[in-house]
Amino acid sequence: MNAASDGRAPATLAELLRRVANEHAQRPALTSARGDQGEPCTYAELLARAVAGAQRLRSEGVSRGESVVLLAEGRPEWTIALFAIAEAGAAVVPLPADTPPAAVATAARLTQARAIVTSERSSASAQAAQPTPVLSLSVLTAPRAAHEPATAQSAGAQPTPSADDIAVIAFTSGSTEHPHAVELTHANLLADLAALRAVRSAGPGDAFLSMLPPAHLFELTAGQLGPLSCGARIVFSGAPLPNRLIDALRDERITHAMTVPALLDALYHEVLDELATAGLVDPERRGQTPAETARRMADETDAAHRARVREGVRRRIGETFGLFVVGGAAIDPAWSGVVRPLGIRLEVGYGLTEAAPVVTLGVAGECPTGSVGAPLPGIEVRIAEGGEILVRGPNVMRGYHRDAEATRRALRDGWLATGDHGHLDAEGFLFIDGRLKEAMVTAAGETIYPEEIEACYGDAAFRELCVAGVPGPHGNDLPTLFVVPDEERRGDVAATAQRLRASAPARLRVADVVTRREPLPRTASGKVRRAALVAQWIAEARRQDNQDEGT
Amino acid sequence: MNHETHEADLRALLAGIAGPDAATVDLDADLIEALGIDSLAGLRVLAAVEKRFGVRFPDERLGDFKTLRELLDFVGQGGKG
C-alpha cells in the first residue's frame, strides 16, 4: 500500500506515521542519548513496531473509541506506544512517569481506561490503578516476534479512526480532587502541528533533543510530532541533568530543543561554570544572572576575547545547536542577549493544553520585549472586555472529558476562554499580563492547583490556611502557604509548617510560609480570595522593604 | 582518595550551588530540604558530582540520592553503589 503524500494533510496520527514512514523509511527517527539502547529506531521500524503494538493492544481488548493510559518517561518506546495506541484507534492518556499512584488511579477511572501501559520505573504507581490491566511498555513496543502474525493487511479490516476521534486525553494537573482532562482530537493536534510547520521548518538533517516529559502537550506536539512530521531525529536525554543535556547537544549533533525556563537556567549555569573552570570567564562570575551576562557581552569591546568565549561555548555545546523553544512560563527578556551572540535563536510562545497547545510564537529579540510572539496562522486571538485572552481555531479542544459544565464555561461561542489576562499591541503581538485562574505554573512548567497542596498542610495548629501563587523570578508562581495560627493552641507554627512541608511529596512542597494574624480575605460565600491575599502580601512586603531601607 | 577527602570535596561542591550551609549540613539530612534548594538545583548537584568524581547515577535511581551520606557511599564505590 502506498501512502505517499497526495497533497492532502494527514487526518490522523496513524496516517501521519504511514506517510512519514514511507517518505523517510531508513532515516533514524528515535534514539537515546549515549546510544545505550542500541541502534536508532528508523521511521520504517517505528511504523512496524507501532503496528505490532496496536495488534497486541487489540488482543487485550482495546478498540476504537476507548482509551489507554501511557505512564512512562520520555524514551523511544514512549513514542512507539503513542502511535501504537493511535493505530489501534484508541485515545492516549499520557501521564508523566512520576505521577503519584492516586492520580494514576483517578485518571484511569475517569477515562475508563482499557489498559495502562507503563515503564518499569512507574509500574508500582500503575499497580495502584487495579483492576485496570497493566501492560509493559517494553513488551508492547518490542519488534514483532517471529511467531506473531504480521497484520499490516488485516489492520485494514479494523474500523479506521477519523479526524474527529479523540487522540489524546490530557490531564492539566495531577490533582485527584480537581482533575481537568482535556479532549483533543486528531484534527486538533494536526492543526496545531500544521500551524507550527507553516512558520518554522526543520528537515531530515535536524536532531531534536527531548528533555521534557512528552506527557506534556508542548513536548508532545512541538517536540515529538514536530520533528517526526519532517523526517528529523528525536534524541531522548534521559534524566535532565544539565551536564548530560550539554553532552547530548554536542555528541548527538542536536539542532533544536524544547525547554522550560528553569532548565534553560540550569544549562546556562552549567556552561558558565565550565567556562570559568576553563579560565575563559572570571570565576567570580559563576553565579551571575543572565541579565548581567547579557550586559557584559554587549559591553565587551575586545573582539578577540569575545571570539574566544564563543569558541569555548561552541566547543562545549557543539557546532550544530541553534534553536531553543521555551514553553511553560514567561522568560526574562535578557536571555536573548545571552544566546544571540552565540548564534542560538530563542523562541518564546504562549500555549495551553486546551489549544493543543501552541497559540503564539516569536523570536526573542525580534518580537517586542516582553511579548510572547504572534498567533500562529489559522489561530485567532482576541481580548475579551475584562482582559481575558480568547483563542479560536481548529486546534482548540472539543471540551473537557465528561465535564459539560466546565466545557460550557471554557468554550463560549466557539472561543476558548484561557483564564489568562493579556493584551495585543497594534502589530498583533500578544503580551501576558497575569493569570485569572487559581492554578499555578511552576518554573518547570507544571500546573498545580492550590487545593492539591492545601491537602498536605492541614493541622490543628492552624485556624485557617490557604495556598496561593506569588509571582516568581521565571514568570512562574511560587506556591506559598498562608496560615492563621489558632491562638488557643500554643505551638511553633513555623516548625509545624516545616514538618508538614517535609512530609509532603516534593512537587507539593510550598516555596514559602507566611503567618498572619488577620483572618484570610473571603468572598460572601466564604471562598478565600487568593488574588487579594497575594496582593496584600506583596504590598506588605514592599512596605517592610521601604521601612528597612529607611532605618 | 579517602572518605574524608570525598566529604570535604562534596561539601565544597554543594556550597557552590546551595550556599555556606553545605559546610555543616548533617550527613543524613535530606539535602533539598535542609538546604532549601529546589529540585532543579538538586539536579545541578548531581551533575556536579558526576563531573567531579567521574560517576554516572542510574536514571531510575536518581531519587535514591537524597543525603550527603548516600552520595558519599555511591562515590566511594566508584559509582557502582
Side-chain angles (χ1 to χ4, degrees):
Chain A
M1 184 176 68
N2 191 332
S5 166
D6 54 7
R8 188 178 56 82
T12 63
L13 293 182
E15 205 179 307
L16 170 72
L17 177 60
R18 287 208 151 60
R19 195 172 290 188
V20 294
N22 186 62
E23 204 171 329
H24 306 289
Q26 296 314 315
R27 289 188 208 282
L30 310 168
T31 182
S32 296
R34 274 169 58 104
D36 43 13
Q37 309 219 346
E39 290 291 299
C41 170
T42 64
Y43 277 83
E45 201 184 332
L46 167 58
L47 172 62
R49 289 168 72 175
V51 168
Q55 188 190 3
R56 293 178 188 125
L57 287 168
R58 288 194 198 99
S59 70
E60 294 288 333
V62 174
S63 59
R64 183 180 171 193
E66 295 185 317
S67 65
V68 175
V69 171
L70 175 51
L71 172 70
E73 65 283 6
R75 50 194 288 174
E77 293 83 356
W78 189 94
T79 311
I80 299 170
L82 169 81
F83 282 105
I85 296 166
E87 180 76 25
V92 180
V93 184
L95 298 179
D98 57 357
T99 306
V104 176
T106 303
R109 182 170 46 77
L110 283 176
T111 61
Q112 298 181 301
R114 195 65 200 235
I116 300 177
V117 175
T118 182
S119 62
E120 216 163 285
R121 199 182 309 176
S122 306
S123 65
S125 301
Q127 299 300 340
Q130 298 268 7
T132 311
V134 176
L135 303 178
S136 149
L137 177 65
S138 53
V139 171
L140 179 79
T141 60
R144 192 175 59 81
H147 65 270
E148 284 180 297
T151 52
Q153 295 83 1
S154 66
Q158 302 291 329
T160 324
S162 81
D164 294 325
D165 277 17
I166 300 169
V168 169
I169 303 176
F171 282 81
T172 58
S173 89
S175 167
T176 47
E177 281 179 34
H178 298 266
H180 288 62
V182 174
E183 288 184 352
L184 295 169
T185 63
H186 290 267
N188 292 150
L189 287 170
L190 294 171
D192 203 54
L193 177 65
L196 278 169
R197 291 200 56 191
V199 291
R200 299 291 182 268
S201 61
D206 291 322
F208 284 58
L209 184 63
S210 176
M211 62 175 91
L212 302 177
H216 290 172
L217 257 290
F218 172 52
E219 175 65 19
L220 197 161
T221 302
Q224 301 282 316
L225 301 182
L228 290 176
S229 67
C230 50
R233 178 167 55 101
I234 299 175
V235 179
F236 290 89
S237 70
L241 266 60
N243 57 326
R244 298 191 197 171
L245 296 175
I246 300 274
D247 286 347
L249 291 181
R250 180 193 60 205
D251 299 343
E252 300 288 342
R253 303 187 60 73
I254 298 299
T255 56
H256 299 58
M258 310 298 133
T259 191
V260 290
L263 271 178
L264 186 63
D265 201 55
L267 293 174
Y268 157 82
H269 281 291
E270 178 72 17
V271 173
L272 193 59
D273 193 53
E274 298 209 354
L275 290 179
T277 306
L280 283 164
V281 303
D282 183 344
E284 300 267 298
R285 286 165 54 188
R286 278 177 204 262
Q288 80 185 358
T289 63
E292 287 165 337
T293 299
R295 194 164 37 74
R296 281 172 181 274
M297 287 171 83
D299 292 347
E300 177 62 69
T301 47
D302 180 350
H305 182 253
R306 197 201 291 249
R308 275 198 303 279
V309 170
R310 190 194 147 108
E311 200 186 309
V313 174
R314 279 296 175 186
R315 222 183 356 257
R316 185 64 186 92
I317 69 170
E319 292 296 332
T320 51
F321 186 68
L323 177 68
F324 269 126
V325 187
V326 186
I331 59 165
D332 184 337
W335 275 112
S336 72
V338 177
V339 301
R340 276 165 78 90
L342 302 168
I344 297 170
R345 262 158 63 111
L346 198 63
E347 301 249 9
V348 295
Y350 169 72
L352 64 170
T353 306
E354 288 85 341
V358 188
V359 173
T360 70
L361 202 61
V363 180
E366 287 176 20
C367 62
T369 305
S371 100
V372 290
L376 296 176
I379 300 177
E380 295 171 86
V381 172
R382 102 181 146 81
I383 307 297
E385 220 156 277
E388 186 171 14
I389 300 168
L390 306 178
V391 178
R392 184 165 74 175
N395 57 317
V396 170
M397 67 166 182
R398 66 180 212 182
Y400 291 105
H401 186 67
R402 292 165 179 265
D403 195 340
E405 180 50 37
T407 302
R408 253 196 308 280
R409 268 183 276 130
L411 293 173
R412 302 176 212 141
D413 304 324
W415 290 87
L416 167 69
T418 62
D420 293 317
H421 241 166
H423 66 274
L424 290 160
D425 71 5
E427 269 129 79
F429 287 102
L430 180 66
F431 294 74
I432 309 295
D433 300 327
R435 201 165 289 119
L436 297 175
K437 283 185 295 201
E438 291 184 331
M440 294 171 287
V441 177
T442 67
E446 189 190 7
T447 302
I448 300 180
Y449 286 81
E451 296 86 347
E452 286 181 76
I453 306 184
E454 286 166 2
C456 302
Y457 295 86
D459 192 281
F462 307 146
R463 183 191 297 275
E464 292 183 81
L465 75 90
C466 158
V467 168
V470 172
H474 301 301
N476 56 320
D477 301 304
L478 299 173
T480 303
L481 174 67
F482 293 85
V483 295
V484 181
D486 189 327
E487 300 293 351
E488 284 158 28
R489 289 175 167 268
R490 299 263 171 95
D492 189 340
V493 171
T496 304
Q498 285 310 327
R499 177 175 53 75
L500 294 167
R501 183 178 179 278
S503 56
R507 57 183 286 278
L508 301 181
R509 288 183 190 155
V510 291
D512 200 3
V513 179
V514 177
T515 307
R516 50 181 274 154
R517 302 287 146 193
E518 313 79 50
L520 299 175
R522 288 177 188 271
T523 64
S525 63
K527 200 170 171 306
V528 178
R529 293 165 57 218
R530 291 194 174 86
L533 179 63
V534 171
Q536 285 175 12
W537 157 240
I538 292 173
E540 173 67 16
R542 285 217 183 102
R543 205 173 54 77
Q544 290 278 353
D545 281 352
N546 289 342
Q547 272 182 4
D548 293 349
E549 273 168 33
T551 53
Chain B
M1 263 188 296
N2 61 25
H3 206 268
E4 284 74 31
T5 328
H6 281 163
E7 185 178 333
D9 276 1
L10 267 177
R11 286 188 188 274
L13 178 157
L14 266 176
I17 294 166
D21 288 352
T24 51
V25 72
D26 191 90
L27 275 177
D28 294 306
D30 179 316
L31 293 172
I32 288 191
E33 204 50 51
L35 300 175
I37 57 179
D38 62 17
S39 57
L40 271 147
L43 288 177
R44 281 177 62 199
V45 169
L46 295 180
V49 173
E50 285 196 346
K51 285 196 297 180
R52 173 68 185 78
F53 298 97
V55 294
R56 188 176 167 92
F57 295 101
D59 269 23
E60 60 286 356
R61 286 187 46 214
L62 287 184
D64 295 351
F65 303 97
K66 294 194 191 74
T67 68
L68 210 47
R69 192 186 302 281
E70 283 158 356
L71 290 172
L72 273 172
D73 286 348
F74 187 73
V75 167
Q77 290 154 22
K80 295 184 190 74

